[in-house]
């Protein structure tokens, strides 16, 4: 496989903070935006020349961007920034036949969620990964922009 054969990029870096607005500092918000959004843009920017028509860029994001949360101010801010990046890149790469998919995941059963209420009901990472692989295989005949992956019942 040569560097020009990149078919799929999955950007999945994330840091979590459960601070409400009143307990958030600008430095904390900036740090989360750096990891949860700007790092994704840097990866895509660095690989831009290696992407050809038919490639797919997947941003792993959070359903929190649509529902918000009182104690996740910086986290939601950073994930909304990622949504803005995804939407801007959808236009840019769409002209080249490259898909950009913004995946809004519900609560995931990961280290980041340890100690959260209802963790046993959160999505298993392997289950979400399988859904993403299936989605990317359908990409040849369908076009996706924003997808929500949630538990059917909590």
């Amino acid at each position: 496989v040569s560097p020009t054969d990149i078919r799929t990029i999955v950007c999945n870096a994330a840091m979590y903070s459960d601070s409400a607005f009143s307990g958030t500092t600008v430095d904390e918000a900036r740090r989360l935006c750096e990891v949860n959004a700007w790092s994704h843009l840097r990866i895509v920017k660095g690989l831009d020349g290696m992407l050809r028509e038919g490639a797919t860029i997947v941003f792993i994001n959070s359903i929190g961007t649509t529902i918000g949360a009182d104690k996740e101010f910086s986290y939601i801010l950073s994930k909304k920034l990622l949504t803005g990046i995804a939407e801007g890149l959808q236009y840019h790469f769409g002209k080249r036949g490259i898909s950009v998919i913004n995946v809004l995941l519900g609560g995931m059963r990961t280290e980041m969620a340890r100690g959260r209420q209802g963790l046993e009901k959160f999505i298993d990472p392997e289950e979400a990964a399988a859904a993403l692989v299936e989605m990317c295989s359908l990409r040849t005949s369908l076009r996706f922009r924003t997808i929500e992956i949630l538990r059917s019942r909590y």
Side-chain angles (χ1 to χ4, degrees):
V1 176
S2 75
T4 57
D5 289 336
I6 294 175
R7 301 289 296 157
T8 305
I9 298 170
V10 178
C11 298
N12 188 32
M15 241 173 91
Y16 179 73
S17 170
D18 63 355
S19 297
F21 175 72
S22 61
T24 299
T25 66
V26 172
D27 286 340
E28 176 189 345
R30 185 177 288 124
R31 186 173 54 253
L32 264 69
C33 287
E34 184 62 41
V35 172
N36 296 353
W38 295 124
S39 66
H40 295 44
L41 182 60
R42 282 188 189 90
I43 290 167
V44 173
K45 194 89 167 127
L47 297 174
D48 184 14
M50 299 176 204
L51 297 168
R52 303 289 178 258
E53 184 174 350
T56 303
I57 301 165
V58 179
F59 291 116
I60 303 301
N61 208 329
S62 172
I63 193 64
T65 62
T66 64
I67 58 176
D70 181 44
K71 291 187 172 185
E72 298 178 334
F73 179 79
S74 294
Y75 180 73
I76 299 302
L77 171 71
S78 69
K79 292 301 194 169
K80 283 194 175 275
L81 176 58
L82 181 57
T83 293
I85 289 169
E87 290 172 355
L89 292 178
Q90 285 167 344
Y91 176 78
H92 171 77
F93 283 109
K95 295 185 288 185
R96 293 173 37 196
I98 298 169
S99 289
V100 177
I101 305 170
N102 187 31
V103 179
L104 307 179
L105 291 172
M108 298 293 296
R109 199 175 313 128
T110 64
E111 281 296 313
M112 196 167 76
R114 182 176 284 190
R116 293 185 61 191
Q117 185 177 5
L119 184 61
E120 71 282 353
K121 298 176 184 175
F122 284 19
I123 301 167
D124 183 65
E126 288 78 16
E127 186 179 11
L132 290 171
V133 168
E134 180 71 20
M135 177 195 67
C136 286
S137 72
L138 295 172
R139 157 62 181 100
T140 56
S141 62
L142 299 172
R143 186 173 72 123
F144 301 106
R145 292 175 59 89
T146 300
I147 295 175
E148 295 180 2
I149 298 178
L150 310 166
R151 272 272 165 250
S152 60
R153 277 178 251 144
Y154 282 95

